[in-house]
Amino acid sequence: MTTDTKRNFKVVGTRPNRPDGVDKVTGRAMYGADATAPGMLWGKVLRSPHPHAEIVSIDTSEAMKLPGVQAVVTGADFGDPESLFVSDVQEHCMAKDRVYYDGHAVAAVAATSASTAAKALKLIKIVYKPLPHVTDVDAAFAHGAPVIMHHRAFEILPPGTSANATNFCEFGHGDLHEGFAKADLIVERSFRTAATHQGYIEPNACLASYSSDGRADLWCCTQGHYHVRDLCAQIMGMEAAQLRVTASEIGGGFGGKTSIYVEPVALMLSKKSGRPVKMVMSREEVFRATGPTISSSMDVKIGMTKDGRMTAGQAVIRASGGAWPSGTMEMGAQAAFACYDMPAVKTIGWNVLTNRPKESAYRAPGAPTAIFGVESVIDEMSQKLGLDPLEVRILNAADAGTLSSYGPTFNQIGLKATLEAAKNHPHYKAPLGPNQARGLSCGFWFNFGGNTSVSLAVNTDGTVNITEGNPDIGGSRASIGMMAAEELGIPFADVRTIIGDTASIGHNDTTDGSRVTFAVGLATIRAARDAIQKMCHRAAQIWDIDPDAVEWEDGAAKPSGPNAGQFPPMTIKEIAANAFRTGGPIAGHHEVNADGAGVSFGVHIADVEVDPETAHTLIKRYTVFQDAGKAVHPSYVEGQMQGGAVQGIGWALNEEYIYGADGRLQNAGFLDYRIPVASDLPMIDAVILEIPNPGHPYGVRGVGETGIVPPLAAVANAVTRAVGTRMTDLPISPPKIMAAKAAAGK
Amino acid sequence: MKSIHVSATVNGDAVEFICAPDESLLDVLRNRLGLTGAKEGCGTGDCGACSVTLDGRLVCSCLVLGAEAEGATVGTIEGIADGDTLHPLQQSFIDHAALQCGICTPGILVAAKSLLEKNPNPTDTEVRYWLAGNLCRCTGYDKIIYAVQDAAKKMRSA
Amino acid sequence: MRYVAATTAEEASALLAAETGLAKVLGGGTDILVQMRAGMVEPALLVDIKKIPGLREIKSEAGGFRIGAGVSGAELMRHSAFATTWPGALEGFNLIGSTQVQGRATMAGNLCNASPAGDAVPGLVAAGATVRIQGPKGQRDCPIEDVPVSPGKTSLAKGEFITSIFLPAKPARTGDAYLRFIPRTEMDIAVASAGVCLTFDASGTCTAARVALGAVAPTVIVAHDAAKTLIGTKVDAAALDALQAAATALARPISDKRGTADYRRETVGVLARRAAQIAKTRAGA
């Protein structure tokens, strides 16, 4: 793979209007809850009020008799999938014989109106036998904790480990003992982070239509309709080809719409009733019963010379991904020290089960909380040693050739360039007012490639239709079209990109891992090159010369040299117009398991103002620096950086899942689950760096996830410096700040 | 329960509908009138995705009963453009990439239009406080503020 | 459920009194519709009062203002005479929810919802407001602080509802203010709040004071002992310190998902002091 970094891009790097823009500003765009079908029923779910209980009996007979009720479904209607992973997903969607969290689905009804369905739920009689519960990660890890599920541990764990522990991992290199011995200063500190939710404004919704010949259509808002198809097909006992899933426009996902929740329930209700079934989760259901992040507690220990050079680093992360095993802490353990060149480093991760819903990804899963701990300790050590915290980062920053803390050796990466940009930016030197302080943090995300299929059709008028299979969560339709236009040498306006359903093209991995601009872009470029090759062949045919003597430039085929022939360039329009006479329709395609994604580093600087008497905290100024490799559409790259930063600010200051002693979720709504509102924030300045990724033809790196990683520590470090005592417990709410100040005697 | 017959004006058109007494105006718009531009993000008046105007006043349609629309004028996102000519706010949002997933966009456009009708020259702070009831999870609000201000500027000089 | 848009106050009162099931008043709907949706309340009858003549009017009366129970925050905010006379009472009301919620929410609704943290209440209490109540036997008035009795409960009898809120003529050299603490900048329920109204004489001495504390007890606290710390003083730093301490001492908060008791106790004192400073400035003292 060669990356053309010196290329004079004509389309990539510009800011054309997005193709779905008009639909979205007029209300025409169709999201998950916007579809209807003739004869449609409304489905509703009955959910457990207990955090942990045996289901002794379910009596749906009265519900079935209510006029308008067409079907009722419980766990007994579902089979036993072979795959343990699918079985866990299925059980999360509909309980079998036990409920594992407050809000766990136990039954569902389809009726001719939503209000009838709601009435029917009240007629379902369920007898529960409550069991002891545990919702706190450290409590679940301790001896004597109620056991949530037996025999779910992935590895042989050390004897005496809690029965709730399921996953364990360890990464690192070097000799820690020797490393700490070399340090002039060692700091050990513990941190806790609450679970948060992706907070997408569109609740999960779907419309399922199962027909009696065993075929089904499913419309849903999702980040990955192929994954939905695979999961639902296995759950329903169908073959993949018989289930066609169409992805609606999606009203936010951020990793939270990478699994299924109401979809298999809607399919089963449709199967039993013989009619289409629409299911829309309420906001309360979204909080109680979709997938939030892990909650965590971690211990970090770092050794540093008096000049600021890290000699050793260690982190132990205890995470809980709810009542089913979760591997997220592995990514946290890998990411924790990834920004730094560590002579000796060891990160350990544990996952324990708790009576909470099954975790889902949220932008760089595992990394924000892990890096929060490490960046907080680095900040504390910078303070104690009297060193500039940015210089300390630069001194230790990973670079090309660094053996990373999680194994691979980095090639060209952008962290140092990002840090230098931050150092030279006016924000870093701007004076601070009373009660104000500044904090910073680095951040990192691996980014992924993955399985991708793209088809590119050249219409007879020379315009181009691209069919790809990745729901557009950030403007990727535009970026994909731009890359095709760039490669073909035609105007962006001549390209239209659509997202096909699962029956239209080959498999596509989910829109996650910041993979789409990289992997789908790469596949699109190759599909365009495939089409170009075919069009060159058509031109060669018309000119009666060797196809190898034809090349493509600026949207036209031309002889590659004077010896090939004296023909004027033949444009895409001319070739397309003659397609049927030269062999038939022209299309290019590409299928790949894309490799070579480039990591994306970022640095954030946050200025906060903390009221000394009430601890009310305001973000006064915020700048995001991030390496995008190559920014295909700079406005969308900025959008990802700004959006991720604001989510991280919410995570740092206000957002948390609050469970009571009774194991029930207390804040299942936007009133008390507090995401940032417009008046909470200043402008978020975004500075894009471009250190090309050698693994992509244009140098593209994924950018979607890194932005949520630095804000947790950037804000915590700023508040810490404002109040004079280290904040270690997220979210940093005003009562916690006042309590910390009082405890520190301030 | 017995349904209620309501006559109202929606986006300038006379409409009639029947609804349950406890049915929200949002559900009426979406499920009975086919106007799915207003979205339900929360159902409790905390997110603004269902914003409409009721007799010229910005409200959450999830907090209004369909029955309360009797004799009233309702304005939704579907009524903001003039035929196929976008309102300056709509065009500005596209030009400034002020939307990513777009789910909050109809509510924000209805709210922003209402603001500029009352205050054609707001400060950034006034825009932010006016829009505090419109949650956006994708953009961080940054480009939204730019887009509203740019549209306001264009509308003042029109 | 039945929905009726009453055309007179007497009709509304009769409907509410006659209903054997649960009957509720519909004003702005910003509390009741949320509660209905959450299944917390299932009325058999909803009586919409907004079409009753006068309930959406703001009238001058005896030097003060009578505000119909159906008047929304957005409407009251645009009444410049009221806004300049009672800015503290108004700012409390206008802090409720979003712009959209302000398009519907009413002071009477906020009061009768009887949340300990209702933003409209402390400012109205400090201003000495009264409510006019329509019942099956006719009308009666009562001080605003007598309406809420415990969270979610009012002193109104069956068939009674509020038709208007009256703010008296404002004495000369009087200023009022309302402050609340919320973690964000908008959209939150008050964690602690304080409404203060101060009257001064020509020498700059405080002759009358009312202090109301919100979200630190089951209902609003009419903080007489806190008000006493200001009367007879020039509301200088020492008096303000005494006010702060008195407000903190009177608070009886709980710890819940929105804040700890310790935090609320301390913060309400700070807010009372800051609100008093603003009220003093507004009084021109």
Side-chain angles (χ1 to χ4, degrees):
Chain A
M1 165 76 57
T2 50
T3 299
D4 200 342
T5 56
K6 293 194 183 13
R7 182 166 175 166
N8 189 15
F9 290 104
K10 298 201 175 82
V11 180
V12 164
T14 63
R15 301 176 190 242
N17 287 342
R18 58 191 290 159
D20 52 326
V22 174
D23 282 349
K24 290 188 172 165
V25 300
T26 56
R28 270 209 299 271
M30 301 267 294
Y31 292 83
D34 296 336
T36 56
M40 185 178 88
L41 302 171
W42 289 83
K44 286 235 176 278
V45 178
L46 183 63
R47 299 186 177 279
S48 162
H50 300 287
H52 196 195
E54 272 176 36
I55 300 175
V56 175
S57 66
I58 304 182
D59 179 359
T60 60
S61 54
E62 289 303 310
M64 287 278 352
K65 288 188 208 145
L66 187 68
V69 170
Q70 301 292 323
V72 177
V73 148
T74 66
D77 288 293
F78 292 89
D80 282 307
E82 249 184 70
S83 149
L84 186 54
F85 172 75
V86 177
S87 174
D88 284 350
V89 170
Q90 177 183 291
E91 187 176 29
H92 187 257
C93 294
M94 182 64 69
K96 289 198 292 227
D97 45 21
R98 275 197 179 195
V99 291
Y100 288 100
Y101 60 95
D102 167 36
H104 196 172
V106 293
V109 160
T112 48
S113 74
S115 58
T116 304
K119 273 205 204 82
L121 292 185
K122 292 188 187 158
L123 299 174
I124 297 177
K125 299 187 192 48
I126 309 205
V127 177
Y128 294 100
K129 181 174 149 213
L131 299 166
H133 65 269
V134 57
T135 53
D136 178 84
V137 56
D138 285 329
F141 209 51
H143 285 298
V147 178
I148 294 173
M149 282 189 200
H150 290 273
H151 315 304
R152 294 307 308 263
F154 275 54
E155 292 88 20
I156 308 294
L157 299 174
T161 307
S162 163
N164 287 318
T166 58
N167 305 61
F168 172 83
C169 68
E170 187 173 325
F171 296 91
H173 60 257
D175 183 335
L176 272 188
H177 187 73
E178 189 187 306
F180 283 120
K182 291 198 183 125
D184 294 319
L185 174 67
I186 296 174
V187 168
E188 283 187 73
R189 209 162 269 295
S190 295
F191 300 87
R192 283 180 57 93
T193 69
T196 59
H197 193 272
Q198 304 81 1
Y200 38 81
I201 306 301
E202 176 203 30
N204 306 65
C206 71
L207 173 59
S209 189
Y210 191 102
S211 72
S212 53
D213 63 356
R215 289 196 242 184
D217 287 309
L218 178 67
W219 161 277
C220 61
C221 53
T222 176
Q223 295 173 236
H225 45 316
Y226 289 84
H227 186 55
V228 170
R229 178 188 67 175
D230 294 345
L231 287 173
C232 287
Q234 289 183 65
I235 289 173
M236 298 296 293
M238 296 169 74
E239 292 163 354
Q242 301 311 318
L243 174 58
R244 182 175 64 164
V245 183
T246 303
S248 69
E249 295 294 340
I250 178 173
F254 316 111
K257 288 182 178 156
T258 55
S259 186
I260 52 176
Y261 299 103
V262 287
E263 292 80 359
V265 180
L267 279 164
M268 193 61 82
L269 283 168
S270 180
K271 181 176 180 184
K272 285 184 94 171
S273 65
R275 290 165 69 164
V277 174
K278 177 162 168 172
M279 295 186 76
V280 182
M281 289 180 98
S282 70
R283 177 56 50 186
E284 188 195 328
E285 289 181 285
V286 170
F287 275 116
R288 285 171 84 205
T290 59
T293 66
I294 52 165
S295 52
S296 80
S297 90
M298 68 188 288
D299 311 315
V300 176
K301 177 178 173 184
I302 298 180
M304 197 182 268
T305 67
K306 59 184 185 322
D307 307 313
R309 183 77 182 92
M310 284 195 278
T311 59
Q314 181 180 302
V316 177
I317 302 167
R318 292 168 296 278
S320 177
W324 289 265
S326 156
T328 291
M329 54 60 184
E330 271 195 50
M331 291 187 278
Q334 292 181 69
F337 286 95
C339 295
Y340 301 109
D341 175 11
M342 303 295 295
V345 61
K346 180 155 120 174
T347 53
I348 288 172
W350 296 91
N351 182 72
V352 287
L353 303 181
T354 51
N355 288 114
R356 291 173 177 234
K358 185 178 193 300
E359 167 240 0
S360 189
Y362 178 22
R363 242 173 172 151
T369 48
I371 288 180
F372 159 63
V374 168
E375 289 285 329
S376 292
V377 173
I378 296 176
D379 189 61
E380 181 173 350
M381 299 180 89
S382 307
Q383 277 186 305
K384 286 196 160 114
L385 293 170
L387 299 170
D388 179 298
L390 195 51
E391 295 290 354
V392 170
R393 296 335 195 267
I394 292 171
L395 185 60
N396 290 281
D399 206 353
T402 299
L403 172 63
S404 72
S405 60
Y406 63 100
T409 299
F410 288 129
N411 52 29
Q412 287 160 261
I413 55 173
L415 178 57
K416 281 214 161 123
T418 315
L419 285 163
E420 291 293 337
K423 179 172 157 182
N424 296 321
H425 193 274
H427 182 176
Y428 197 60
K429 298 175 210 56
L432 289 160
N435 303 315
Q436 293 184 354
R438 181 166 296 143
L440 70 95
S441 173
C442 295
F444 157 91
W445 188 247
F446 313 89
N447 300 329
F448 295 94
N451 295 293
T452 314
S453 307
V454 171
S455 174
L456 186 151
V458 181
N459 302 314
T460 52
D461 64 355
T463 61
V464 167
N465 276 109
I466 299 170
T467 305
E468 48 128 338
N470 277 95
D472 185 350
I473 63 177
S476 50
R477 251 172 303 202
S479 306
I480 300 306
M482 288 167 75
M483 285 187 262
E486 184 75 53
E487 201 61 30
L488 290 164
I490 61 177
F492 174 68
D494 283 357
V495 178
R496 183 173 178 181
T497 306
I498 65 153
I499 294 127
D501 61 32
T502 55
S504 300
I505 49 174
H507 178 91
N508 282 277
D509 284 347
T510 299
T511 298
D512 62 10
S514 306
R515 57 174 291 270
V516 171
T517 312
F518 167 73
V520 183
L522 185 155
T524 300
I525 291 165
R526 291 183 184 165
R529 290 178 182 171
D530 184 29
I532 285 169
Q533 197 188 43
K534 288 165 179 169
M535 288 192 284
C536 289
H537 271 259
R538 302 298 180 97
Q541 205 179 316
I542 291 171
W543 290 330
D544 198 19
I545 63 176
D546 193 312
D548 291 340
V550 179
E551 61 187 32
W552 189 267
E553 193 181 306
D554 289 338
K558 55 179 234 209
S560 49
N563 296 334
Q566 298 285 350
F567 302 103
M570 189 180 298
T571 66
I572 188 172
K573 285 191 186 344
E574 290 164 325
I575 297 172
N578 284 298
F580 299 167
R581 291 193 286 117
T582 57
I586 300 172
H589 66 98
H590 193 73
E591 298 77 36
V592 65
N593 189 348
D595 206 350
V599 298
S600 177
F601 287 94
V603 177
H604 293 198
I605 306 176
D607 290 354
V608 303
E609 185 177 289
V610 183
D611 184 312
E613 290 183 300
T614 65
H616 192 252
T617 303
L618 290 171
I619 307 285
K620 301 301 288 184
R621 186 171 178 178
Y622 202 97
T623 310
V624 178
F625 303 85
Q626 190 172 333
D627 171 21
K630 176 67 194 166
V632 173
H633 192 309
S635 300
Y636 297 134
V637 174
E638 287 162 359
Q640 293 302 304
M641 291 160 70
Q642 292 164 335
V646 170
Q647 288 181 322
I649 288 169
W651 198 333
L653 289 179
N654 275 313
E655 295 179 39
E656 59 178 321
Y657 263 53
I658 303 174
Y659 280 92
D662 61 357
R664 306 201 66 191
L665 182 61
Q666 294 187 341
N667 60 335
F670 278 134
L671 179 61
D672 289 307
Y673 183 87
R674 293 184 284 265
I675 77 173
V677 299
S679 46
D680 288 345
L681 300 159
M683 291 298 191
I684 311 287
D685 293 321
V687 176
I688 301 174
L689 287 301
E690 290 182 317
I691 289 85
N693 164 27
H696 183 279
Y698 300 166
V700 165
R701 297 178 190 273
V703 297
E705 289 170 281
T706 297
I708 202 175
V709 178
L712 279 60
V715 171
N717 289 340
V719 173
T720 291
R721 286 165 181 262
V723 306
T725 183
R726 178 67 39 191
M727 303 306 300
T728 59
D729 188 349
L730 296 186
I732 307 169
S733 59
K736 278 187 199 159
I737 295 174
M738 294 307 285
K741 280 173 73 171
K746 293 208 194 295
Chain B
M1 55 181 90
K2 206 162 144 65
S3 290
I4 297 181
H5 177 266
V6 177
S7 303
T9 307
V10 178
N11 298 330
D13 296 333
V15 303
E16 288 184 48
F17 57 86
I18 62 162
C19 64
D22 61 352
E23 194 170 331
S24 69
L25 176 59
L26 176 63
D27 283 343
V28 165
L29 290 169
R30 289 180 55 80
N31 301 331
R32 300 200 189 255
L33 298 178
L35 295 168
T36 57
K39 309 295 181 195
E40 178 170 315
C42 71
T44 52
D46 296 307
C47 78
C50 66
S51 298
V52 301
T53 56
L54 184 66
D55 289 333
R57 178 95 50 207
L58 180 67
V59 298
C60 280
S61 57
C62 73
L63 295 183
V64 177
L65 293 175
E68 292 180 276
E70 173 63 41
T73 307
V74 180
T76 74
I77 181 68
E78 288 90 346
I80 289 195
D82 178 14
D84 67 351
T85 306
L86 295 179
H87 187 279
L89 275 166
Q90 290 170 306
Q91 188 60 53
S92 189
F93 268 55
I94 296 175
D95 293 342
H96 288 283
L99 61 139
Q100 288 180 30
C101 79
I103 196 81
C104 72
T105 306
I108 292 197
L109 285 169
V110 169
K113 178 166 178 275
S114 171
L115 167 65
L116 296 183
E117 279 161 4
K118 292 176 170 51
N119 180 358
N121 194 2
T123 62
D124 281 4
T125 303
E126 286 171 325
V127 175
R128 286 182 180 274
Y129 274 86
W130 184 272
L131 294 178
N134 288 86
L135 300 183
C136 174
R137 196 57 159 164
C138 292
T139 67
Y141 305 103
D142 203 271
K143 294 182 190 298
I144 290 174
I145 307 303
Y146 276 121
V148 172
Q149 291 292 39
D150 197 37
K153 191 163 128 188
K154 294 195 163 87
M155 287 164 71
R156 286 194 299 273
S157 56
Chain C
M1 191 196 87
R2 283 152 29 246
Y3 163 91
V4 177
T7 54
T8 66
E10 292 78 8
E11 180 197 350
S13 179
L15 284 164
L16 292 167
E19 178 58 46
T20 46
L22 179 62
K24 297 293 262 183
V25 170
L26 177 64
T30 55
D31 284 319
I32 184 98
L33 293 191
V34 175
Q35 290 158 2
M36 281 165 57
R37 201 204 151 81
M40 282 163 53
V41 70
E42 291 179 37
L45 170 68
L46 207 57
V47 178
D48 187 345
I49 57 168
K50 296 190 291 295
K51 301 216 156 96
I52 296 171
L55 255 68
R56 294 188 64 183
E57 286 171 24
I58 304 159
K59 289 214 264 275
S60 298
E61 182 183 305
F65 297 91
R66 181 163 298 282
I67 299 149
V71 170
S72 70
E75 286 165 330
L76 190 58
M77 170 187 322
R78 296 189 90 73
H79 194 283
S80 49
F82 184 82
T84 45
T85 310
W86 291 110
L90 182 62
E91 65 203 350
F93 180 25
N94 285 155
L95 279 170
I96 299 169
S98 60
T99 311
Q100 289 87 341
V101 166
Q102 285 289 307
R104 301 292 281 173
T106 66
M107 290 194 289
N110 191 244
L111 179 69
C112 292
N113 189 48
S115 157
D119 283 310
V121 182
L124 288 169
V125 170
T130 58
V131 298
R132 178 152 293 163
I133 297 166
Q134 173 76 43
K137 302 199 185 92
Q139 292 182 352
R140 65 182 180 93
D141 289 354
C142 84
I144 203 142
E145 59 265 28
D146 290 348
V147 173
V149 299
S150 65
K153 284 197 61 120
T154 69
S155 60
L156 301 178
K158 190 165 165 66
E160 287 191 318
F161 71 101
I162 293 177
T163 53
S164 64
I165 297 181
F166 177 72
L167 276 90
K170 192 179 80 170
R173 278 180 235 107
T174 297
D176 71 332
Y178 172 82
L179 289 175
R180 69 176 184 177
F181 181 88
I182 53 169
R184 291 183 292 184
T185 54
E186 280 284 328
M187 301 303 288
D188 293 329
I189 299 291
V191 176
S193 67
V196 176
C197 185
L198 304 176
T199 302
F200 295 80
D201 67 15
S203 74
T205 304
C206 177
T207 55
R210 281 186 47 96
V211 177
L213 308 176
V216 290
T219 59
V220 65
I221 295 178
V222 187
H224 299 294
D225 288 348
K228 280 193 202 130
T229 64
L230 299 179
I231 296 173
T233 75
K234 298 236 192 298
V235 186
D236 56 4
L240 289 167
D241 284 347
L243 169 70
Q244 179 173 349
T248 289
L250 286 165
R252 310 183 314 262
I254 57 168
S255 290
D256 67 7
K257 63 192 172 198
R258 295 179 188 138
T260 61
D262 283 345
Y263 181 79
R264 287 179 154 124
R265 205 173 287 118
E266 291 303 313
T267 302
V268 81
V270 172
L271 294 173
R273 193 189 83 233
R274 293 180 181 179
Q277 286 173 299
I278 298 170
K280 177 180 171 186
T281 305
R282 285 178 174 161

